[in-house]
Amino acid sequence: MAELMDGGDHGAMRITAPIRLQPAAIRAREPHFPLFLMAALLPLLLFPFADLDGTPLQRLILPLAVTVLVVESLLALPSWVARIGPLQVNALYRLLGLFSALAVWWPLVTAHRPPFGWHVLILAVRSAFYLLTAVRIIQVLANSDRVSVRTLCLGAAGYVHLGLTAGLLATVLQMVDTDSFNINMAGLHEELMARLSYFAFVTISSLGYGDVVPASPVGEVFAVLVSISSTLYISLLIGLLLSRFIASQSPRRRSRQVLEDSP
């Protein structure tokens, strides 16, 4: 464990964080990685069919998809070991996930949309949970000792989480400042979150169709930050996967060389 001490006039705050995760702990969670990717894609695939003002089935789609994603996030990733003073980071992560999974059921249970302030808070908490999940995925990949199809699924899930985070943050930004984005609504019942999630994934993939564009300096800065974040994530992902693949191949090459050199 690594420990950092922040000394100040009000005492010291001790931050403890794991130097590395044990590869055995990561391998134990690998069977969940493909399911984790499917759960991350589920909200995107079901967005066109979700309608909070529609039939009971249409209202059920989005809460169910988000709940499945939160549960699978907690099952697929090893527990956080880091602490900030008395606060356990894993407990905070689970609390954010629990709040996200429960709050998304509000319109279905109460038959009313949450008030504006609560709606913004719910979206902000979900975006924080998705962002922490993406960070955790990077940490898991950095400590994995091999590259497999399941590992690639985990990396893809992190990319999807980056887009989900950007979509939720863009929605919060548009709700707070309605001039942040110029949105060409394609349908009368299309949800703002679905439209801005589309914008987020178009942005991180560098497509930029131009049908949804930033309309204020704040929106433009947000789009730039999303583009930079996606580029950094792809760079980190490729670097980590290549380093793990090369490291896993080196022992095999040495063993093959020993067999070839032996009489």
Side-chain angles (χ1 to χ4, degrees):
M1 300 288 288
E3 296 187 0
L4 301 176
M5 186 75 72
D6 181 15
D9 296 334
H10 302 286
M13 181 179 67
R14 185 181 298 274
I15 301 175
T16 60
I19 298 177
R20 59 175 287 116
L21 296 171
Q22 295 298 326
I26 298 176
R27 287 195 294 268
R29 303 296 181 102
E30 282 187 352
H32 285 280
F33 292 170
L35 296 176
F36 185 35
L37 175 59
M38 294 176 60
L41 293 171
L42 196 59
L44 297 175
L45 297 176
L46 296 181
F47 255 139
F49 309 102
D51 187 355
L52 297 179
D53 297 321
T55 64
L57 180 59
Q58 291 174 319
R59 297 173 61 195
L60 179 67
I61 288 176
L62 186 58
L64 186 60
V66 173
T67 302
V68 170
L69 177 54
V70 170
V71 172
E72 196 58 43
S73 299
L74 299 177
L75 292 176
L77 300 176
S79 299
W80 292 76
V81 186
R83 296 174 64 92
I84 303 177
L87 177 64
Q88 293 185 357
V89 177
N90 191 63
L92 175 62
Y93 178 70
R94 290 178 177 272
L95 183 62
L96 292 176
L98 178 62
F99 181 85
S100 302
L102 293 179
V104 77
W105 291 89
W106 186 323
L108 188 64
V109 174
T110 64
H112 297 287
R113 297 177 183 271
F116 177 82
W118 274 101
H119 196 185
V120 171
L121 177 62
I122 291 170
L123 295 181
V125 170
R126 276 176 57 192
S127 63
F129 178 78
Y130 290 157
L131 182 59
L132 285 176
T133 301
V135 172
R136 186 59 170 169
I137 289 173
I138 288 292
Q139 185 183 18
V140 171
L141 293 175
N143 289 276
S144 179
D145 60 347
R146 61 182 180 181
V147 177
S148 63
V149 175
R150 293 173 176 175
T151 308
L152 296 177
C153 288
L154 182 65
Y159 185 81
V160 174
H161 272 79
L162 187 63
L164 292 174
T165 303
L168 289 176
L169 290 178
T171 303
V172 172
L173 190 60
Q174 182 69 11
M175 292 176 64
V176 174
D177 181 7
T178 56
D179 295 327
S180 297
F181 299 94
N182 183 13
I183 303 177
N184 181 21
M185 300 299 287
L188 296 177
H189 304 288
E190 187 169 9
E191 293 291 333
L192 177 66
M193 189 189 312
R195 193 65 177 163
L196 287 174
S197 294
Y198 157 79
F199 163 78
F201 279 95
V202 167
T203 301
I204 66 175
S205 60
S206 302
L207 291 176
Y209 290 124
D211 49 350
V212 180
V213 295
S216 70
V218 176
E220 292 174 352
V221 171
F222 176 81
V224 170
L225 293 177
V226 170
S227 300
I228 293 175
S229 300
S230 62
T231 303
L232 290 176
Y233 180 85
I234 293 297
S235 301
L236 285 172
L237 180 62
I238 294 175
L240 289 172
L241 293 178
L242 281 178
S243 63
R244 293 298 169 264
F245 179 77
I246 294 173
S248 64
Q249 293 298 312
S250 296
R252 298 179 184 178
R253 292 179 180 177
R254 287 196 296 268
S255 300
R256 192 180 305 118
Q257 186 66 32
V258 170
L259 290 176
E260 292 176 355
D261 295 341
S262 60

